[in-house]
Amino acid sequence: MQELSDKLKAPLTDLLLSIADDKLMLGHGASDWTGLAPILEEDIAFSAISQEEIAHAAALYEVVGTMHGRSADAVAFGREPSAYRCAELTSLGDDFDWSRAIVRQLFCDHFDLLRFERLARSLLKSVAALSKRIGAEEATHVEHADVWLIRLGRGGDESKTRAQAALNALSGAAAMLFEPTDGVDVLEREGIYPAGEGSLFDRWQEDVGRVVAEAGLTLEVVPSPADAVGGRRGRHGESFTGLLDEMCEVYRVEPEAAW
Amino acid sequence: MSKIREQFQAGEGELASSPEADPKAYEVFIQLTRGQPHVHTGTVDAVDDKMALEYARKHYGRDQACVHMWVVAREAMISAGYGDDIIWPLTDQDYRLARGYAADVRRKWEQFRSKEDVDRYQKEDIKDAF
Amino acid sequence: MSAGVTSSEELRIDWKIQEDPDRMAAFQAHIDAKGLVEADDWMPHNYRVGMLRMAEHHANSEIVGALPEGEWITRAPSLRRKLALVAKVQDEVGHGQMLYRTSQDLGKSRDQMLRDLVTGKTRYHNVFNYPAPTWADVAMIQWLVDGAAILNQKSLAEGSYGPYVRTMKRINMEEAFHFKSGEDMVLTLMSGTKRQRQMAQEAFDRWWGPCLMFFGPPDRESTKTGPFMTWRIKTATNDTLREAYVDRFAPAARALGLNIHLARKNPDGLIAVKADGTPDKIEDPLIRLDESTGHWGFTQPDWDEFYRVIGGDGPCNKQRVALRRFSYEQGRWVRQAVMGCAGLPPSRN
Ligand SMILES: [Fe+2]
Ligand SMILES: [Fe+2]
């Protein structure tokens, strides 16, 4: 990796962690469906997506780990809860309700695609190259989520009602995806996380809104106030800490040991 | 384990719901490297082409590295063969195969040229075909 | 392409059926000549039903087999192990999918098979009725249970039904990954801390017995000669496979420092504890190589326990079936939704 000034190191760490932590939590939640999804073929497909989310997270932890002289596993499993940068949405359980799993995925996948579009133009060559590869896979996740929302929206009364309920239930947490990580403005100015046309929020609303409309559903996401503090700055709710404890249950038995 | 796996609620006795119809079968053919033929690898059930392609990709496209696939609805396939449905004719087909000539040609060549010369000459023959 | 047996009435074994003797003779000759039977071929009714039962039972076992390890997906202790475990469990679901597909083409709908499974009308492999209470159980399942499955499936790949045989070969490719990953985990634990080695030994104690039972009860003479053997639906006897298994795993376990125990189990599948607080187990006195036969000795597992568990009274029977049922019931509205909006064209060429 190119030399980073100290001024940039902390903000970049936060940004990369926000993406990696999102993906780890999201992939973790999605992977729990393996063996239990509504259709066997979909079980395989959704599990493949969950693996990709976790693999993307692993690749980003590797980058962060290299910056800080730690292993990817130590970064993934070995931090205090307040050092995680994921948004609450990614750790919200779905209670094995398929509509919730799909909507959570829809919101996060569209958001990730936009983040990776930006990072793919980063002046940090290694980050840009990695982001291009991840972005390509992310696009297939977006398609998967889009098609599912459309099927659910058009699939009859019960599924339409459930899909709409899931959109309503998760729209509040969706707004907090956009909470900026500390120092992100510096990264934008320095071309490490170049801004694109329009705000992330507007682009996301447009992209997701198009799919929601095609599915015959509605969505209203109210932007969070600029001073709202959430997961991006280490403030987490119970859904996250519970999930983290479960995820680290074995790791913490002997953190120094190989497993 | 995740809470839901411990605390789920499932019904008991006979299922209240009526049986469901299976979706359609689609056959999947994968190509492992560009230029090689596509080979049948399995079947997926799906309600439409879009779903079939997605499921074929994620299932059969992942347990081996592959570069391309064909997915086709089984109902669109027609088949022939086995039993009384003869594909390969029952009469002697040697006349249309290289191997039907190999021994004769060899014997005849050897009347004109030495064994070694024929060997050298026949090195270029496509061995699989004889 | 699928043959048209549909009603479940027709799907029973019935030895009174008189098949056409000429066709029967030709069929047997084809099988004796190591020929494969394809879905469209004529086959005796009882061959079809026997094959269907076996493939369906196998399919059930794959998707129920996804459950014990599935419990550990959310707790895998490293990124690589997490990815590998998700992929492994996903593979088992894929095996189930392929085997249900094979069974569907023998004449039973997938939905009916899933319904029969979740209402207890059909069975799955007994080994999945045991608990996986620690991470080390995941390691032991992948090493010992997948190891047993490979042995079994290798012999099934010598069978006579083409679609099933091809599926076995495919499945075994993936089992090789499961097995290697299992070996890697067991080796890691056994070269790890004292606590990790102890975890591994305890898990081994839980799985050794069920794995000996994996191949089914001791052979009776009839099973070695019955029609399913002559039709090559079954290709090796239970005792032959069990012997091969012990020959491979007993010396390997001992080389790793794992002791092979005879252990008393509680109804919950965990090893019973004596009054002094230590586990109620002794080393199996018969475990040693018999130089004269070249085979390893071992004490037969508790066959009463086997029949009790198969009869439904095992540590996890209820829980496994109930979780499958939950998945089936929970997924119903989703399946109905997709059936209700079929017709989307593929968007990536
Ligand atoms: Fe399997
Ligand atoms: Fe396996």
Side-chain angles (χ1 to χ4, degrees):
Chain A
M1 162 147 350
Q2 291 144 279
E3 274 308 308
L4 271 184
S5 68
D6 285 345
K7 181 179 74 159
L8 293 176
K9 201 168 161 182
L12 180 61
T13 301
D14 265 21
L15 176 69
L16 294 180
L17 283 179
S18 74
I19 304 173
D21 292 345
D22 274 2
K23 277 183 167 290
L24 179 62
M25 299 308 153
L26 188 65
H28 173 94
S31 69
D32 201 16
W33 281 86
T34 308
L36 298 170
I39 300 168
L40 288 179
E41 282 85 349
E42 179 59 34
D43 199 307
I44 298 163
F46 200 55
S47 181
I49 289 174
S50 78
Q51 287 166 52
E52 284 171 5
E53 299 290 7
I54 298 168
H56 294 170
L60 293 164
Y61 287 136
E62 200 65 55
V63 176
V64 173
T66 311
M67 283 164 65
H68 295 269
R70 300 180 73 185
S71 72
D73 280 330
V75 179
F77 296 99
R79 278 174 289 154
E80 287 300 308
S82 61
Y84 284 80
R85 293 290 173 265
C86 42
E88 188 191 17
L89 176 63
T90 58
S91 61
L92 287 182
D94 53 37
D95 289 340
F96 277 121
D97 176 342
W98 188 245
S99 56
R100 277 213 182 208
I102 289 300
V103 168
R104 188 179 59 195
Q105 208 65 42
L106 177 88
F107 288 174
C108 294
D109 288 336
H110 275 279
F111 181 55
D112 280 343
L113 189 63
L114 294 171
R115 289 195 285 192
F116 284 112
E117 255 171 44
R118 287 188 167 191
L119 275 176
R121 292 184 281 113
S122 175
L123 295 180
L124 277 178
K125 296 259 160 45
S126 56
V127 169
L130 179 62
S131 300
K132 213 172 262 163
R133 287 207 310 276
I134 295 180
E137 283 188 346
E138 203 57 54
T140 69
H141 298 185
V142 164
E143 173 159 355
H144 178 270
D146 287 0
V147 170
W148 262 108
L149 191 77
I150 292 165
R151 286 196 198 277
L152 296 185
R154 295 185 189 171
D157 289 345
E158 180 175 8
S159 94
K160 183 172 184 167
T161 309
R162 283 174 181 269
Q164 187 59 59
L167 285 168
N168 298 347
L170 298 180
S171 62
M176 286 303 279
L177 283 172
F178 300 88
E179 180 193 6
T181 51
D182 280 333
V184 72
D185 45 334
V186 184
L187 298 174
E188 287 178 358
R189 271 203 309 279
E190 299 283 328
I192 287 175
Y193 186 45
E197 258 174 72
S199 75
L200 272 183
F201 182 74
D202 291 344
R203 295 239 357 234
W204 180 88
Q205 253 205 327
E206 201 185 304
D207 293 349
V208 173
R210 206 180 314 116
V211 185
V212 169
E214 208 182 317
L217 302 164
T218 59
L219 173 67
E220 199 192 338
V221 179
V222 183
S224 312
D227 57 356
V229 175
R232 302 282 184 234
R233 278 169 286 183
R235 183 180 292 174
H236 299 286
E238 270 168 35
S239 69
F240 171 78
T241 45
L243 186 151
L244 188 66
D245 285 344
E246 183 184 334
M247 187 154 72
C248 299
E249 187 185 305
V250 182
Y251 175 85
R252 287 174 188 162
V253 172
E254 303 240 14
E256 301 305 320
W259 287 96
Chain B
M1 77 186 85
S2 60
K3 252 188 228 101
I4 191 88
R5 283 184 191 251
E6 269 173 322
Q7 299 171 357
F8 61 88
Q9 291 274 317
E12 267 175 58
E14 288 302 313
L15 289 159
S17 64
S18 46
E20 302 164 25
D22 286 349
K24 293 191 293 186
Y26 284 78
E27 300 300 341
V28 183
F29 301 80
I30 55 169
Q31 186 186 37
L32 293 179
T33 38
R34 223 184 153 103
Q36 291 304 110
H38 288 67
V39 179
H40 182 247
T41 186
T43 312
V44 291
D45 282 17
V47 298
D48 55 27
D49 296 356
K50 191 180 189 76
M51 188 184 255
L53 184 59
E54 169 78 358
Y55 288 168
R57 271 172 186 281
K58 294 274 164 57
H59 187 351
Y60 296 106
R62 303 234 171 172
D63 12 286
Q64 294 170 82
C66 70
V67 293
H68 196 259
M69 62 172 38
W70 292 329
V71 180
V72 56
R74 185 184 280 184
E75 64 192 14
M77 295 172 69
I78 47 178
S79 63
Y82 294 148
D84 296 335
D85 184 5
I86 293 149
I87 301 177
W88 184 251
L90 297 177
T91 51
D92 188 358
Q93 295 294 301
D94 262 12
Y95 70 88
R96 58 189 305 285
L97 296 172
R99 67 156 190 260
Y101 299 87
D104 278 354
V105 165
R106 175 83 203 194
R107 190 169 37 77
K108 288 172 184 170
W109 264 125
E110 284 179 14
Q111 289 168 7
F112 292 89
R113 308 177 74 179
S114 74
K115 252 183 169 5
E116 297 74 48
D117 284 348
V118 182
D119 278 347
R120 199 171 313 122
Y121 164 76
Q122 288 194 332
K123 245 196 211 128
E124 302 302 318
D125 287 352
I126 301 160
K127 286 288 173 278
D128 297 350
F130 290 91
Chain C
M1 273 160 107
S2 84
V5 183
T6 44
S7 92
S8 54
E9 270 312 294
E10 289 174 82
L11 295 175
R12 294 226 174 90
I13 294 277
D14 181 357
W15 296 113
K16 290 201 293 291
I17 288 182
Q18 294 294 317
E19 302 279 7
D20 175 349
D22 290 345
R23 285 185 132 176
M24 276 300 259
F27 183 78
Q28 190 65 56
H30 179 61
I31 285 181
D32 291 345
K34 296 265 178 263
L36 292 181
V37 180
E38 296 299 332
D40 288 347
D41 290 340
W42 180 86
M43 60 188 94
H45 170 87
N46 289 325
Y47 178 92
R48 175 185 300 282
V49 177
M51 204 48 241
L52 168 61
R53 287 238 180 116
M54 181 155 107
E56 180 181 5
H57 181 271
H58 198 161
N60 288 347
S61 307
E62 298 286 353
I63 63 166
V64 176
L67 301 181
E69 285 177 277
E71 294 174 355
W72 286 93
I73 285 177
T74 54
R75 294 175 287 179
S78 74
L79 292 161
R80 185 175 160 88
R81 293 284 188 230
K82 197 173 181 80
L83 283 167
L85 183 57
V86 181
K88 195 272 183 184
V89 177
Q90 177 198 35
D91 279 353
E92 305 300 2
V93 177
H95 299 171
Q97 188 275 344
M98 290 189 278
L99 286 159
Y100 279 127
R101 201 44 258 185
T102 305
S103 313
Q104 283 165 269
D105 290 342
L106 283 163
K108 188 169 177 182
S109 80
R110 186 191 296 183
D111 181 60
Q112 194 56 51
M113 291 188 271
L114 291 172
R115 292 172 74 88
D116 286 351
L117 172 63
V118 304
T119 49
K121 294 190 186 68
T122 51
R123 294 205 178 121
Y124 51 90
H125 201 292
N126 209 30
V127 81
F128 301 117
N129 286 321
Y130 290 88
T134 72
W135 173 255
D137 290 77
V138 174
M140 287 304 160
I141 291 174
Q142 291 188 20
W143 187 44
L144 295 177
V145 180
D146 285 86
I150 289 176
L151 214 79
N152 190 35
Q153 287 164 182
K154 251 165 70 184
S155 100
L156 293 171
E158 313 269 290
S160 64
Y161 187 57
Y164 187 73
V165 164
R166 288 189 290 276
T167 304
M168 280 311 103
K169 291 187 176 153
R170 220 195 142 68
I171 285 181
N172 277 337
M173 262 165 27
E174 293 176 1
E175 295 295 359
F177 142 53
H178 306 169
F179 182 68
K180 274 285 162 272
S181 146
E183 282 183 306
D184 189 41
M185 284 191 280
V186 172
L187 286 161
T188 305
L189 291 174
M190 289 312 287
S191 36
T193 63
K194 192 171 165 225
R195 181 159 185 178
Q196 287 177 308
R197 289 198 302 276
Q198 192 186 338
M199 272 173 89
Q201 177 68 59
E202 285 167 4
F204 184 86
D205 292 338
R206 283 188 285 276
W207 288 98
W208 179 250
C211 283
L212 293 180
M213 297 178 200
F214 183 96
F215 303 97
D219 302 326
R220 283 165 289 135
E221 277 317 301
S222 62
T223 55
K224 293 180 192 161
T225 52
F228 292 134
M229 272 297 200
T230 50
W231 282 336
R232 274 193 296 120
I233 285 180
K234 221 174 161 334
T235 48
T237 68
N238 299 350
D239 287 331
T240 322
L241 289 169
R242 186 163 24 248
E243 185 178 75
Y245 183 78
V246 175
D247 285 347
R248 181 165 196 210
F249 285 90
R254 302 220 319 176
L256 276 177
L258 289 163
N259 289 319
I260 298 173
H261 291 118
L262 304 176
R264 197 167 60 79
K265 278 185 179 178
N266 291 325
D268 62 5
L270 304 184
I271 307 295
V273 177
K274 288 186 289 194
D276 66 2
T278 58
D280 193 352
K281 61 183 187 185
I282 54 160
E283 277 192 49
D284 182 347
L286 301 185
I287 291 283
R288 60 172 177 274
L289 181 64
D290 180 339
E291 304 280 356
S292 65
T293 61
H295 294 299
W296 281 72
F298 62 96
T299 300
Q300 286 287 328
D302 179 354
W303 291 111
D304 290 340
E305 173 190 316
F306 174 80
Y307 288 111
R308 203 164 54 237
V309 176
I310 257 197
D313 200 14
C316 304
N317 302 47
K318 287 203 181 63
Q319 181 188 334
R320 302 281 185 245
V321 175
L323 186 51
R324 284 284 359 143
R325 179 167 178 145
F326 168 74
S327 159
Y328 180 83
E329 289 176 332
Q330 188 86 347
R332 180 176 166 82
W333 72 266
V334 182
R335 292 187 295 276
Q336 285 189 320
V338 295
M339 290 299 252
C341 73
L344 300 182
S347 51
R348 292 178 299 217
N349 65 68

